[in-house]
Amino acid sequence: MIDNDNVSASYSKVIVLYANKGMVVNNISPNPFATTIKININVAKEAKLDIFLSDLSGRRIKTMHYAAKEGVNNISLSGLSGLSKGAYIVELNTTSENISRRMLIKQ
């Protein structure tokens, strides 16, 4: 590779670092939501996933169990039209990690 001064440059090996062991949340949307929350995650290996929707006092409003496959998974948490307007927390757990707590607003 040549830089702007026509001098050769070399780069070190790129190492990807993950804060989480085996699961990365790519997206949780929409925010605000009305009836359904869509969750896009990437898992390193198959895992049993527990998804919880809680209000701000910590009371679990909805629970979903999902068998995540290795790679990208698209999950829909539906049946939320009866919830009151306000803020909610989405939590994703596997047997080895508690990964994400995201606040979403119900319109």
Side-chain angles (χ1 to χ4, degrees):
M1 194 169 253
I2 305 293
D3 69 7
N4 290 340
D5 296 332
N6 290 327
V7 177
S8 293
S10 61
Y11 299 94
S12 62
K13 181 180 173 184
V14 174
I15 300 172
V16 178
L17 301 176
Y18 291 101
N20 303 313
K21 297 175 187 172
M23 182 171 50
V24 175
V25 176
N26 299 322
N27 192 25
I28 299 178
S29 64
N31 194 9
F33 69 94
T35 61
T36 302
I37 297 171
K38 296 179 182 179
I39 302 167
N40 179 279
I41 61 167
N42 195 347
V43 295
K45 62 181 180 178
E46 289 185 3
K48 292 179 181 176
L49 180 64
D50 295 320
I51 304 166
F52 303 107
L53 182 68
S54 304
D55 62 18
L56 292 183
S57 68
R59 184 173 54 112
R60 288 192 174 153
I61 306 299
K62 184 141 181 133
T63 299
M64 179 180 179
H65 304 287
Y66 182 81
K69 304 288 184 198
E70 181 178 337
V72 176
N73 291 261
N74 292 298
I75 306 161
S76 289
L77 188 59
S78 59
L80 307 177
S81 60
L83 295 179
S84 301
K85 292 182 179 182
Y88 293 88
I89 304 290
V90 174
E91 184 177 352
L92 306 172
N93 295 325
T94 65
T95 54
S96 62
E97 62 187 311
N98 175 352
I99 181 133
S100 180
R101 297 176 63 85
R102 300 237 181 134
M103 186 182 301
L104 299 174
I105 305 298
K106 167 79 164 98
Q107 12 169 247

